[in-house]
Amino acid sequence: MSVYTPVNSLQLEQFFSTYSLGKATDFEGIRDGIENTNYFVTTTRGRFVLTLFESLTADDLPPFMDLMTHLGKSEIACPCPLPDRQANPLRILNDKPAALFNCLAGAAVTSPSIAHCRQIGLHLARLHNSTQAYVFPIKNSRGLDWCQRVFAEIGPALCPADRALIGDELRVQCQNSTNLLPRGVIHADLFRDNVLFVDGRLSGLLDFYSACTDALLLDIAITANDWCCDNGAVNPDKFAALLSAYETLRPLEPMERQRWPLMLRAAALRFWLSRLQHRLHPRPGEITQQKDPLVFRVLLEQHRGQASVISPRPATWPSCFRPAADNRRRTGSGDSEYDTDCTVSS
């Protein structure tokens, strides 16, 4: 949601002339996120979100438009694509495929509470249940094969300690297939900045462009790794809240419980690698945002130090998330520093 592709007033006016949504009166770039260009647009008939797709092509996008439409009909709070006068949900703007969406109320939370984590668990289970019979043709493009390719690409720029840690984790993950786990449509990027709340109640799930068909447990792990950690440290109570709430709607299978610790590690590795790649090879843009790769390095190390299986009873899950020894040092500014650099210094 950074701004990589600038849009001017004339382009916006021409774009909105093909819709029945009023005349654009104001617009501003949205800084959050890193994949697409997004603008808030105010018109004489309301407020909307304009998305210009930076990586996905016009041929790639229909399955995602269809998925969000399906979710909207299933009463999942998410942006729904708005068709133009010819009933097309996609158009071209500034040489990029573009779409308009309803603007959901609310704001993201930066420091989620246990109550927030419960709501995330419930809504993630609702998302998974609402798509059980939905055929989504997109496979996970950032699975283990992708992790290996990215590591081969950026490995020479990393310090020896990081190369050793990533290489060992890839070896472990390659030895443990997830093919037998329950599969379905997963969001695959349900971070804090992709969820809106109004007065403490969840009001919207955003950014479904990483959605794919994969292990449902991976989606829970990706989500929990962001929502249930405080300043890089695992919070057992938040993990327990998210997982127990999720299971009120979709109980986990025994194999999922057994594979949970490894899936947490796989999710941490995937986002550590993607953030390293983005930092080492940033994309140009008018407003861009980079996220700290080190968060997921520290998280991966914590997960690697935990128990190999979890208890079959959610009430005892917190015992599996005792934080590893804190390796941070405090700086005079009040920020945390970690002892390991992400990249080789020049």
Side-chain angles (χ1 to χ4, degrees), residues 242-269:
L242 187 151
L243 291 165
S244 60
Y246 181 93
E247 284 212 285
T248 62
L249 297 181
R250 193 188 82 85
L252 297 184
E253 296 186 1
M255 183 178 292
E256 290 179 296
R257 297 182 184 280
Q258 183 181 22
R259 299 303 295 274
W260 174 243
L262 275 174
M263 194 63 84
L264 287 171
R265 290 164 57 171
L269 176 65

Side-chain angles (χ1 to χ4, degrees), residues 34 48 212:
I34 60 174
F48 306 93
C212 56

Side-chain angles (χ1 to χ4, degrees), residues 316-335:
T316 62
W317 282 19
S319 65
C320 302
F321 300 107
R322 295 189 183 93
D326 188 82
N327 69 337
R328 291 173 291 172
R329 59 179 184 271
R330 302 301 297 182
T331 67
S333 65
D335 295 326

Side-chain angles (χ1 to χ4, degrees), residues 114-320:
I114 288 176
H116 289 127
C117 293
R118 287 196 190 100
Q119 290 193 58
I120 288 298
L122 284 169
H123 282 265
L124 188 58
R126 286 187 61 211
L127 172 63
H128 292 168
N129 286 342
S130 70
T131 54
Q132 280 188 337
Y134 188 84
V135 178
F136 191 55
I138 308 299
K139 296 181 180 179
N140 188 354
S141 63
R142 295 198 171 187
L144 193 55
D145 289 345
W146 176 88
C147 290
Q148 292 173 312
R149 291 195 303 271
V150 171
F151 182 45
E153 171 195 339
I154 68 174
L158 304 179
C159 64
D162 283 1
R163 286 198 299 270
L165 178 56
I166 294 170
D168 186 66
E169 187 60 35
L170 282 171
R171 177 187 60 80
V172 172
Q173 294 294 335
C174 286
Q175 293 173 349
N176 291 274
S177 172
T178 62
N179 291 339
L180 297 181
L181 294 175
R183 298 171 67 82
V185 179
I186 69 172
H187 184 284
D189 193 27
L190 199 58
F191 278 50
R192 302 174 198 185
D193 55 1
N194 283 331
V195 182
L196 303 177
F197 287 85
V198 173
D199 296 329
R201 295 182 63 85
L202 193 149
S203 59
L205 307 178
L206 308 178
D207 199 356
F208 281 82
Y209 308 111
S210 295
C212 56
T213 297
D214 206 329
L216 299 178
L217 192 67
L218 174 61
D219 215 14
I220 308 172
I222 289 171
T223 304
N225 272 346
D226 185 60
W227 285 85
C228 303
C229 296
D230 299 328
N231 298 318
V234 167
N235 183 315
D237 295 330
K238 289 183 178 180
F239 268 95
L242 187 151
L243 291 165
S244 60
Y246 181 93
E247 284 212 285
T248 62
L249 297 181
R250 193 188 82 85
L252 297 184
E253 296 186 1
M255 183 178 292
E256 290 179 296
R257 297 182 184 280
Q258 183 181 22
R259 299 303 295 274
W260 174 243
L262 275 174
M263 194 63 84
L264 287 171
R265 290 164 57 171
L269 176 65
R270 174 258 183 268
F271 281 93
W272 182 22
L273 285 169
S274 64
R275 289 187 178 186
L276 283 171
Q277 184 188 43
H278 192 256
R279 174 162 291 185
L280 291 165
H281 304 287
R283 291 154 54 186
E286 179 180 304
I287 302 173
T288 58
Q289 175 178 259
Q290 287 197 0
K291 297 184 178 181
D292 186 6
L294 199 51
V295 170
F296 283 102
R297 186 199 199 283
V298 173
L299 188 56
L300 176 59
E301 287 187 307
Q302 289 186 66
H303 288 325
R304 283 166 63 95
Q306 305 307 318
S308 60
V309 296
I310 62 173
S311 166
R313 294 190 303 171
T316 62
W317 282 19
S319 65
C320 302

